[in-house]
Amino acid sequence: MKQQKRDPRPMSARLWSAQETADFLGIAVSTLYYWSYRGEGGPRLYRVGRNLRYDPADVQAWLDEQAA
């Protein structure tokens, strides 16, 4: 039986909504939607149905890259 890889993140880690991500970054939600629509940067996102979701670790990594 093949063993599946487990995600090292704890189960309590969850994806952020666009509003939560925008609040964290201090930008408008419309900016996140614009970046997604144009494919012009921004943190890595996941589409869950019609919603955009962001991994907090990806958001932080993207923010760190912007500061460099």
Side-chain angles (χ1 to χ4, degrees):
M1 179 178 249
K2 190 174 181 180
Q3 200 172 31
Q4 292 182 350
K5 286 187 178 181
R6 298 197 77 201
D7 191 341
R9 296 177 293 188
M11 286 296 289
S12 62
R14 66 175 184 80
L15 299 176
W16 286 349
S17 68
Q19 183 64 59
E20 291 169 317
T21 304
D23 290 344
F24 177 79
L25 294 174
I27 61 174
V29 173
S30 61
T31 301
L32 289 173
Y33 288 132
Y34 179 76
W35 288 341
S36 170
Y37 173 74
R38 297 285 301 210
E40 295 180 355
R44 181 177 174 198
L45 64 91
Y46 300 88
R47 291 196 183 273
V48 180
R50 296 176 60 186
N51 300 301
L52 300 181
R53 294 290 183 250
Y54 297 86
D55 184 327
D58 290 342
V59 174
Q60 187 62 56
W62 176 81
L63 188 59
D64 291 344
E65 289 175 11
Q66 302 311 301

